[in-house]
Structure formats: structure tokens, C-alpha cells
Amino acid sequence: MIAGWEETTGDISSYQSVDELRDALSGFYPAEGFNTVNNWTHQLWRFCKIMNPGDLVVMPRKYQSVIAIGRILGDYEYRKDAPPGYRHVRSVKWLNVDVARAAVAGDLRDSMGSLLTISELTRRNAVERVEKLAQTGSDPGYAGYITPPADASVLKEEVDEAGTRQLTARDLIGLWGWSRRTADAIEDVDHALRASGLVVEPHFTAGHLDSLVTVSPLNTAEPAHGGAGPVANEEISTSAVSVEDDSPTKDFTWRIGNLPIATDVVSCTLDETLGRAVMHMVENDFSQLPIVDEHRRLVGVVTWESIARAKLGRRQDTITDARALQYPPSAREEEELFARIRDIQRHGFLIVVDAENVVTGILTAVDLAGELQARIQPFTVLEEVERRLRRAVSSLSVEELRACFKDKYKAQKIHSAKDLTLGNYRYLINDEHRWTKLAWPYDRADIVERLEAVAKYRNQLAHWDVDAPEQDSKQLEQAKQLLKLLKIVDRDPTE
């Protein structure tokens, strides 16, 4: 196993601390900035000092869809007579050199796909899972919760120490006090990550709030001419995005992963009987069933229509005979949703896959309709609240409407209730004279409180947000309750 960094001459095990090694690397690479040198320092320190004989090592193999897994046999060696780039080595016994990358669960594969040449896999039972992959070629996976760092500074420390840190998008933005991915939140977190010399992939806006993201240092690649280290990491990783450009990090597009897609996908294989597929579809009220291989890579889909065609054609009673599409519509979570709407309209579904074409979810037309309702309903409810309020205060004169403004310039712009914003009504109602004239059969303080809460909700919705407001959210329910009260004092002639 070879680390590279050909300009780094001499036995690096002679350095007694990270600081000493960093100072030495600064001399070997005088043109590089502090963050780059610091990242390289931690990588070489892991290679020389942290790795121990007996540890497992994972190497994504370049230009192949497999990884190699080995066990370290000896200590770090410096081979001064070897060609440049081949001098920093560790001896390894390779246990399995062709483990399919698709066999590795997405969370572990993302950790392996770090931008770093040398990083450490520690969380989510990584050691036990890699051991199992070496033995059987399959990953038992891990479904537990990942405890996030205590704060942003701890995140930086952990990335420096291990090379990567995984956490959910929710926990990531929570380190900076955000709970939803608004435009302000995205800008704030992007700026903070960049200032800390960190990059996150996939970007924390690409999936849903509970999707895993992997944080790595920026500027982590070896020098361009730097030897033959395990640069195959480049192939397994998803594309890194700089927050300096006009890339998807600043693109507020609605993405497939932003939707609450079904992730516990029932599937079938080509060698199964058609009867088993029919049973799954009837039991779960499915219109389609993905067909996958041994590693859950997508190889087709079966639908009720394709089953009917197979039966009418008197073909064999197998999934292969009833396969509707060998290349069904599929997409990655980070793809733009509206660019794939036609596929959903045409087929009624879109199968979500990862970088290895492994099925991770499915989005149906029914799911999309439900999500659009969740997005649109708050606006329709709030629009009706405002419409009802305008009619309900129509008994008040223009002077009484203007009286709720302390600013005389703003007051002069009011000519009817149509000129009021939702935020103005709490001030209009919170007056004994005007309240008496309206003669609403409610408690005035309670109505003022409800109007304030709903106006705040309206202001939140006025700003772009990756995350759809939940249909059963407390704020939406408050708006619905206010609307119900307003329907009593405003009788719509059309109802």
C-alpha cells in the first residue's frame, strides 16, 4: 500500500508530532496554503502513526466497480531507493480484491468515497462490516442513529482527526442553529463550512433532512504529480462541489431527494416466479415492482400491464417474461424534480437509485400529488384567511382601518381592507372600539394571538425553503382553526 506525496522525502516516522510533520510538509510544499498542508499532514500521520498491523484497509479500485479489502501486516516503511511516489509504504495482505461496490451499503460507500486519499472508517460498525465484506462479499448494514458532534468546532476537529464525518442534513444545519433549509440557512451553513475549510457531499440540500451527508476537508487531493497512492478514491466518490461557484450548492431547485420518497422498496429478482411478484403487488397495492440483481442493482421493472401481456402471450410464468422495461425510468436523489416530471406522467413512477444503480427508493405519481398538496395547501388556506378577514372587517371605515398604523405615511396608503397585509390585522383587532363594532363572538386577546401566529407562519412561507411544510404541522393547523372561526363571522354567499 503506497501513500504517494513524492516530494515528501525522508522517513516521516521520525517526526514526533503532527505539528512537526506539518512544519516539514510546509517546507516540501511551500506554495500550498495552510488548510491543504494541514489536510495532507493528517493523512500522512494516519498512514505512518495511526494505522497498526492487523487493521483492515479498503481500496476502491480504479476504473473498476469493485473494491479491494486487505489487512495491514507491518509498520510504515520508507524505501529511499524506490522511484518518487512509491517510497512511503505499508505491507498488506489482500483478503478480497473484487468486492462489488454495489454490495457496500450507501452510508459506508459514501465514507469510502471521501475526497481524501487516506481516511479512517470508524462509525456505524464500519470494522465489523468491512470484515464481513471481505469474508462474504456482502454488507450487513447499519440502521442506528448517528450522534452528531457537539458543535461546529467539534465537527472540524473530528474531520481533521478521522478524515470524514457523517451526519444527517438535519444535524448538520442544526450545528448552526437552523432547523429547516431556508435560503438564509443554506447561505449561512455554506459560508461556515467554507470558512472552516470543509466540504459536504452530497450537498445538504440534495436529499431530505434525515439523509446522510459526509463532511470532508477541502483541498484534500495529493499533488497532481504525486505518485501512485490509492487515488482510486476519486472514482467511488460523488462529485464534490465548491461553494465558490454557481453550482447546485447555490441552486435552490426542488430536487427528487427533497421529497419524502418511499425508501423501504419491495423488489423481485429475475429468477423469481411471477406469482410471487403478483402477491407482493396485491398485498401492498403496488402498480409496479422493481427488478433487481443480487446487490439490489436495478435491472428492470414489472407492472400490471406487463403481467397481462405475458399472460395473454402464454409465455412462461417468470419475472423475465413479464419484464416491462429493461431500463425503467430512474434518477438520483440530487436530480432536479421538474426535469423528470414527464417520466412520472408517462410511467406513473420513478425509481430512485444511487451512484451504483442500487435501488434506494421509489417516487410514484400518487406520492408526487401528495407532496404538491402539502406544498400548496398552506398557501390556499392563508389566501382564504386573508379573503375572509377582508370581508369580515368591511364594516369598519377607512379612517378606522388607518387608525391601526402609527406611521401616518403608511396609513395614508390604506384605502380599503384590500390594502392591509395579514400582519396588520392583529393591530386592527386589538382595539376596544373597533372590536365592539365588529361584534365577533370571540375572545379578543385569543384572536389577536391567533392572528399573530398565522402572520408569522405566512412570513415563513414567503421565503424559499427546500423542505415542504408538513401537512399536519402545528402552524398549518393554527391557520385552519383561524379559518374555521372566520367562517362564522364571514358568511360566504357561495357556501
Side-chain angles (χ1 to χ4, degrees):
M1 181 171 61
I2 306 165
W5 280 276
E6 67 179 56
E7 288 86 349
T8 307
T9 58
D11 187 337
I12 61 176
S13 65
S14 62
Y15 300 108
Q16 299 303 307
S17 68
V18 172
D19 291 337
E20 282 188 27
L21 178 56
R22 185 188 299 111
D23 290 341
L25 284 182
S26 296
F28 290 126
Y29 300 100
E32 300 294 345
F34 175 82
N35 283 339
T36 299
V37 172
N38 187 54
N39 293 333
W40 292 352
T41 300
H42 282 284
Q43 291 184 67
L44 286 172
W45 188 260
R46 285 180 210 117
F47 189 81
C48 175
K49 302 283 191 176
I50 304 300
M51 293 180 178
N52 291 307
D55 286 349
L56 292 165
V57 59
V58 178
M59 168 86 85
R61 298 184 65 185
K62 202 165 188 177
Y63 308 125
Q64 300 182 54
S65 59
V66 298
I67 62 173
I69 300 174
R71 193 177 300 279
I72 298 175
L73 296 179
D75 294 327
Y76 161 82
E77 298 176 52
Y78 178 68
R79 297 178 177 175
K80 64 179 181 179
D81 296 327
Y86 293 81
R87 293 169 178 165
H88 305 293
V89 301
R90 302 286 298 251
S91 58
V92 173
K93 178 183 179 181
W94 295 103
L95 307 174
N96 193 334
V97 297
D98 59 357
V99 178
R101 292 194 306 199
V104 186
D107 64 316
L108 188 57
R109 198 185 324 130
D110 287 344
S111 291
M112 294 177 185
S114 159
L115 298 179
L116 279 72
T117 297
I118 306 167
S119 59
E120 186 176 1
L121 305 177
T122 55
R123 292 181 172 82
R124 295 174 72 85
N125 292 348
V127 176
E128 293 82 357
R129 292 166 65 184
V130 171
E131 186 93 55
K132 196 73 172 179
L133 280 162
Q135 294 171 358
T136 68
S138 63
D139 180 2
Y142 182 80
Y145 174 66
I146 300 179
T147 303
D151 54 41
S153 63
V154 174
L155 172 66
K156 171 64 174 171
E157 292 171 6
E158 292 183 352
V159 171
D160 285 343
E161 289 298 323
T164 64
R165 179 60 155 100
Q166 281 190 325
L167 67 168
T168 64
R170 185 190 304 276
D171 288 335
L172 177 67
I173 66 174
L175 297 178
W176 286 274
W178 298 97
S179 60
R180 299 181 73 82
R181 293 169 295 184
T182 63
D184 288 342
I186 294 169
E187 183 177 359
D188 182 35
V189 175
D190 270 339
H191 176 78
L193 288 168
R194 181 172 64 249
S196 298
L198 301 175
V199 64
V200 58
E201 59 172 5
H203 194 260
F204 59 88
T205 59
H208 51 83
L209 271 170
D210 293 313
S211 294
L212 282 178
V213 296
T214 302
V215 183
S216 306
L218 278 167
N219 305 320
T220 56
E222 288 185 43
H225 51 291
V231 293
N233 276 3
E234 296 171 3
E235 186 176 339
I236 198 171
S237 69
T238 53
S239 57
V241 180
S242 168
V243 293
E244 299 286 359
D245 56 25
D246 294 325
S247 59
T249 62
K250 290 189 176 182
D251 181 0
F252 300 145
T253 302
W254 211 10
R255 304 197 175 277
I256 291 169
N258 299 153
L259 278 65
I261 58 178
T263 55
D264 188 16
V265 182
V266 178
S267 59
C268 59
T269 58
L270 286 171
D271 57 357
E272 289 185 50
T273 66
L274 193 54
R276 183 177 292 275
V278 169
M279 181 180 68
H280 286 314
M281 293 172 71
V282 171
E283 279 183 329
N284 298 284
D285 196 25
F286 293 154
S287 298
Q288 65 285 314
L289 207 61
I291 307 172
V292 299
D293 68 6
E294 60 192 295
H295 299 307
R296 289 189 59 79
R297 286 177 292 209
L298 184 64
V299 296
V301 67
V302 60
T303 66
W304 285 123
E305 181 181 357
S306 70
I307 291 172
R309 290 180 181 276
K311 292 291 186 182
L312 289 172
R314 300 182 181 277
R315 285 176 269 173
Q316 295 295 316
D317 200 21
T318 65
I319 298 293
T320 301
D321 294 308
R323 179 163 56 177
L325 298 167
Q326 187 172 357
Y327 303 104
S330 63
R332 300 274 294 278
E333 283 194 4
E334 57 267 31
E335 289 187 44
E336 183 182 345
L337 172 64
F338 292 111
R340 305 308 301 271
I341 289 290
R342 289 188 179 276
D343 284 329
I344 300 175
Q345 289 176 323
R346 179 181 176 185
H347 300 284
F349 65 92
L350 191 65
I351 299 174
V352 183
V353 297
D354 65 13
E356 295 301 316
N357 206 38
V358 173
V359 174
T360 60
I362 188 166
L363 176 64
T364 67
V366 173
D367 297 329
L368 182 59
E371 183 67 10
L372 290 173
Q373 180 185 4
R375 292 271 181 169
I376 294 170
Q377 188 180 35
F379 295 99
T380 60
V381 170
L382 291 169
E383 175 62 29
E384 187 172 1
V385 165
E386 289 197 74
R387 181 168 60 87
R388 297 275 184 175
L389 281 169
R390 286 195 295 269
R391 284 206 302 252
V393 301
S394 59
S395 59
L396 300 178
S397 66
V398 174
E399 288 71 22
E400 288 170 322
L401 297 179
R402 291 176 174 176
C404 68
F405 290 88
K406 293 182 179 181
D407 188 323
K408 292 184 179 180
Y409 177 75
K410 290 182 179 179
Q412 292 303 313
K413 292 183 176 181
I414 305 301
H415 302 287
S416 71
K418 290 182 179 180
D419 299 321
L420 298 175
T421 68
L422 189 54
N424 296 146
Y425 284 97
R426 60 184 174 182
Y427 302 108
L428 183 70
I429 300 299
N430 199 18
D431 174 83
E432 186 64 35
H433 169 73
R434 293 190 291 268
W435 179 255
T436 301
K437 188 172 182 179
L438 290 173
W440 292 1
Y442 305 126
D443 178 78
R444 176 161 58 96
D446 181 70
I447 294 296
V448 170
E449 183 178 343
R450 289 171 185 266
L451 284 169
E452 184 175 4
V454 172
K456 183 178 179 181
Y457 181 41
R458 175 66 182 85
N459 289 338
Q460 290 175 350
L461 291 176
H463 301 285
W464 181 89
D465 194 337
V466 167
D467 307 302
E470 299 176 3
Q471 191 169 348
D472 58 349
S473 70
K474 180 181 178 181
Q475 291 172 305
L476 179 56
E477 286 304 310
Q478 288 176 329
K480 289 180 177 180
Q481 290 168 4
L482 176 60
L483 179 58
K484 187 175 182 180
L485 294 173
L486 290 174
K487 286 181 177 181
I488 301 298
V489 297
D490 170 57
R491 301 304 301 176
D492 192 327
T494 63
E495 295 179 335

